[in-house]
């Protein structure tokens, strides 16, 4: 028998880490709900909501989808799609702030 034993190394988050991330997600969601009830200009509100949503998505992907503990190459495979989605949101954000002009018909 060999005296050499191999131990499996577990790389990942702990329950405490996941609980902290969950609490941060709850706080961000509360801030989003509070912001929706406040009288904030539409462009500022939408910009803050998109920013908070990106932060929430990053936390969810990093911790609950375990991407933080994966190899860098897997992360770099998905990162261009994140940039593409952010650009699409910014392109269409301008449409949300336009107010349609009602013209009388003759």
């Amino acid at each position: 028998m060999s005296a050499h034993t191999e131990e499996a190394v577990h790389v990942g988050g702990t329950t405490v880490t996941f609980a902290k991330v969950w609490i941060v997600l709850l706080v961000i969601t509360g801030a989003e709900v509070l912001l929706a009830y406040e009288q904030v200009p539409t462009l500022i509100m939408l910009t803050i909501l998109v920013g908070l949503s990106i932060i929430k998505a990053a936390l969810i992907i990093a911790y609950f989808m375990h991407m933080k503990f994966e190899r860098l190459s897997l992360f770099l495979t998905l990162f261009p799609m994140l940039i593409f989605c952010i650009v699409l949101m910014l392109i269409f954000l301008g449409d949300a702030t336009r107010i349609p002009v009602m013209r009388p018909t003759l």
Side-chain angles (χ1 to χ4, degrees):
M1 300 283 303
S2 171
H4 183 288
T5 58
E6 294 183 23
E7 293 183 20
V9 177
H10 176 70
V11 178
T14 63
T15 305
V16 174
T17 304
F18 290 128
K20 288 178 183 177
V21 172
W22 185 70
I23 290 170
V24 169
L25 290 171
L26 280 177
V27 169
I28 292 174
T29 302
E32 288 175 341
V33 170
L34 181 68
L35 187 64
Y37 282 110
E38 293 296 320
Q39 297 297 325
V40 181
T42 307
L43 184 61
I44 294 171
M45 180 180 69
L46 290 177
T47 304
I48 293 171
L49 287 175
V50 167
L52 290 175
S53 296
I54 291 171
I55 292 170
K56 282 174 54 173
L59 285 172
I60 291 169
I61 290 169
Y63 288 96
F64 295 117
M65 295 176 68
H66 306 286
M67 291 299 289
K68 182 177 189 314
F69 311 109
E70 291 292 333
R71 292 181 306 196
L72 182 62
S73 61
L74 183 59
F75 171 74
L76 293 177
T77 305
L78 299 174
F79 190 70
M81 287 301 111
L82 173 65
I83 299 300
F84 178 70
C85 290
I86 291 170
V87 168
L88 280 178
M89 285 191 292
L90 291 175
I91 288 172
F92 293 111
L93 183 63
D95 291 339
T97 60
R98 274 192 224 148
I99 300 173
V101 177
M102 302 298 287
R103 295 185 182 155
T105 57
L106 297 175

